[in-house]
Amino acid sequence: MADVIENIFEELSAPELMSKKNEIEKEIRDLLQGLEGQEGVGMNGSLVDSERFPRNDIDLYAVRSSRQKVIRLRNDHKAVMKEIENKLHQLHAEFKVKKLSQSDTQKATMDPNRNREILLEKTFARISMVARGSPADQAELKNGDLVLDFGSVNISNFTDVSDIGKVVQHSEGARVSVQVLRGSDRVGLSLEPKRWS
């Protein structure tokens, strides 16, 4: 069943998927509010009284039906979110290929401003603060530096800041090569991740 649902969502564009996600979330919220309106029974409240008989103060059919719909919608939501994630990965991959498609000979013949623009396209993070005495300070990283490479992490494989954290964690006590764009210059640095206070 989940495969059928995912195939249905596969056909939708990214904006359509976002719209579908919002629609599902609203429907789930409405159903949960309705369940809370049934004497606060919600998704987990008991449907029997203290004597183990069906409760007579709630509409049992409506509660069970709403609970089933919420479960189904949560599964749909998970499938939509997975498809949104796939579309985002697809878009990012296409964007990266597009950015990296220029040849080195074209880069070499361009003026410095254009060269900076090309390098800017390959940056994936900006250094916003360097604490005095930190490994970043000792490596001479500066506020405003744009990161091109951090160890094995670059624009083609960067997903989030945790990627840099993993490199730091696995390289504690060793040197990590860092390439930054500072102004219009590409600067190579060597950072030694270590604990500091």
Side-chain angles (χ1 to χ4, degrees):
M1 178 75 177
D3 291 340
V4 173
I5 290 169
E6 287 178 33
N7 289 339
I8 291 169
F9 295 140
E10 235 174 51
E11 302 300 318
L12 300 177
S13 67
E16 291 170 330
L17 283 167
M18 292 301 292
S19 176
K20 186 67 175 171
K21 176 189 86 75
N22 293 336
E23 182 183 309
I24 290 170
E25 288 172 349
K26 182 187 181 319
E27 195 171 346
I28 289 172
R29 271 192 312 274
D30 292 346
L31 286 167
L32 290 173
Q33 283 177 342
L35 285 169
E36 288 302 319
Q38 290 277 348
E39 301 299 320
V41 73
M43 286 295 290
N44 300 314
S46 178
L47 300 181
V48 294
D49 60 21
S50 59
E51 296 175 354
R52 310 299 295 160
F53 287 103
R55 288 175 57 178
N56 64 1
D57 60 334
I58 59 174
D59 182 347
L60 289 173
Y61 177 78
V63 169
R64 291 184 60 138
S65 177
S66 292
R67 284 179 175 181
Q68 287 175 344
K69 284 180 186 174
V70 168
I71 291 167
R72 180 184 50 81
L73 287 168
R74 283 179 176 166
N75 289 334
D76 289 354
H77 186 265
K78 190 183 293 184
V80 167
M81 292 303 291
K82 183 177 179 189
E83 197 54 42
I84 288 172
E85 182 181 359
N86 290 340
K87 295 276 189 210
L88 286 174
H89 283 297
Q90 211 174 17
L91 287 170
H92 284 274
E94 290 169 8
F95 183 69
K96 286 176 187 176
V97 166
K98 183 179 172 185
K99 283 186 4 180
L100 298 174
S101 66
Q102 292 185 346
S103 72
D104 290 334
T105 54
Q106 286 177 323
K107 294 176 197 169
T109 60
M110 293 181 186
D111 65 77
N113 289 334
R114 182 65 184 131
N115 223 1
R116 177 175 165 44
E117 288 175 27
I118 291 168
L119 287 174
L120 266 174
E121 292 176 3
K122 293 185 178 186
T123 63
F124 60 89
R126 177 186 295 275
I127 305 297
S128 60
M129 186 182 93
V130 178
R132 179 174 264 157
S134 69
D137 184 38
Q138 292 171 358
E140 299 181 0
L141 280 167
K142 306 285 184 213
N143 290 348
D145 281 351
L146 300 171
V147 181
L148 293 159
D149 297 297
F150 192 97
S152 60
V153 179
N154 57 46
I155 188 72
S156 66
N157 61 9
F158 176 78
T159 53
D160 60 38
V161 178
S162 68
D163 295 337
I164 293 174
K166 289 174 189 168
V167 170
V168 168
Q169 183 180 16
H170 291 98
S171 303
E172 195 169 324
R175 291 257 173 219
V176 175
S177 173
V178 179
Q179 295 283 321
V180 297
L181 180 62
R182 186 176 292 159
S184 59
D185 298 327
R186 183 181 193 129
V187 179
L189 305 169
S190 180
L191 182 137
E192 184 179 348
K194 58 185 172 187
R195 298 186 188 281
W196 64 282
S197 54

